[in-house]
Amino acid sequence: MVIAIDGPAASGKGTLARRIAAHLGRPHLDTGLLYRAVALALLDRGLPLTDSAGAARIAEALDVATLEEDRLRSREIGEAASLVSVHPGVRGALLDLQRRFAAQPGGAVLDGRDIGTVVCPEAEVKIYVTASPEERARRRFRELAGRGEPTTFDDILADILRRDTRDSERSAAPMRPAADARHLDTTSLDADAAFARALDMLPAGV
Ligand code: C5P
């Protein structure tokens, strides 16, 4: 069974996907990390984020084993990931990798922006997770402050709004809910309550 969890930055989709995967004993892939890894590799090589051919070459050679890198989770790399994710060559290269992950025996849980629409349109379970931009900015602010990254709430809110616009307006695999996705608004839910709601969305007996 493939479980597709999509939604905007800091909506709670990553935490939810990890918990569902642990609960079901299935592997989990945070697909945002793939785009972040491509962006980080470009920056490390001194290449511009607009270099679509260079970005696609990096995406084709991406090693999933490098996704543990702490630097991937910074604010700068989130923004850079959104810029490289518009290149169709990058998306195409990462598509195969994501589909292979989803095709594991027993299934998998994937979270991102286009899992239910493009990567795994046949997924048995699709959940589209949202929360208000202000609540998402509060969460991201707490997370980055906890990591010691200097930032302000207003800057994070501006980042989030800019990324929402770019991710939903790009022509290649824009962020949007699949027609058959269940919607989960986590604005006033903590992680436990969101997890409980998501469990109700799984088919009986899993
Ligand atoms: O989810 P996360 O914030 O780590 O994603 C970073 C960026 O990667 C997003 O803003 C988006 O542009 C891109 N992304 C994507 N498709 C996915 C996952 C992430 O385009 N499936």
Side-chain angles (χ1 to χ4, degrees):
M1 181 174 66
V2 174
I3 300 181
I5 304 189
D6 289 303
S11 56
K13 65 182 187 309
T15 305
L16 191 62
R18 251 189 313 281
R19 287 187 69 165
I20 293 176
H23 178 75
L24 299 176
R26 307 252 160 81
H28 165 232
L29 181 63
D30 170 353
T31 64
L33 286 180
L34 303 174
Y35 294 91
R36 287 172 181 259
V38 173
L40 181 61
L42 270 175
L43 294 174
D44 278 351
R45 286 169 207 193
L47 296 172
L49 298 169
T50 49
D51 180 353
S52 53
R57 272 196 304 278
I58 289 170
E60 279 156 21
L62 193 69
D63 179 359
V64 194
T66 60
L67 297 181
E68 292 306 317
E69 163 93 63
D70 197 45
R71 278 192 302 162
L72 291 180
R73 306 206 179 257
S74 74
R75 185 177 150 215
E76 180 204 359
I77 298 300
E79 175 69 12
S82 163
L83 288 165
V84 301
S85 76
V86 303
H87 302 311
V90 170
R91 304 204 72 85
L94 296 181
L95 193 57
D96 288 346
L97 194 158
Q98 294 171 88
R99 287 194 174 147
R100 277 199 306 278
F101 189 91
Q104 296 179 71
V109 181
L110 288 84
D111 76 84
R113 302 287 189 292
D114 61 341
I115 309 302
T117 51
V118 174
V119 178
C120 303
E122 310 297 332
E124 286 84 350
V125 178
K126 298 181 185 178
I127 304 178
Y128 194 78
V129 186
T130 55
S132 72
E134 291 74 18
E135 176 56 23
R136 291 189 280 130
R138 271 192 289 277
R139 291 174 188 167
R140 192 44 60 86
F141 179 72
R142 277 198 299 270
E143 180 195 329
L144 293 176
R147 289 158 34 92
E149 195 170 324
T151 181
T152 67
F153 175 84
D154 287 347
D155 283 349
I156 295 195
L157 181 59
D159 273 5
I160 279 188
L161 294 173
R162 195 171 48 243
R163 269 219 272 160
D164 282 359
T165 304
R166 191 184 298 123
D167 289 348
S168 54
E169 291 184 356
R170 68 179 174 225
S171 49
M175 170 176 77
R176 60 179 172 76
D180 52 349
R182 306 279 303 267
H183 289 243
L184 178 55
D185 184 339
T186 68
T187 305
S188 56
L189 301 178
D190 64 15
D192 287 345
F195 178 56
R197 295 273 178 93
L199 287 185
D200 285 343
M201 296 179 180
L202 302 183
V206 297

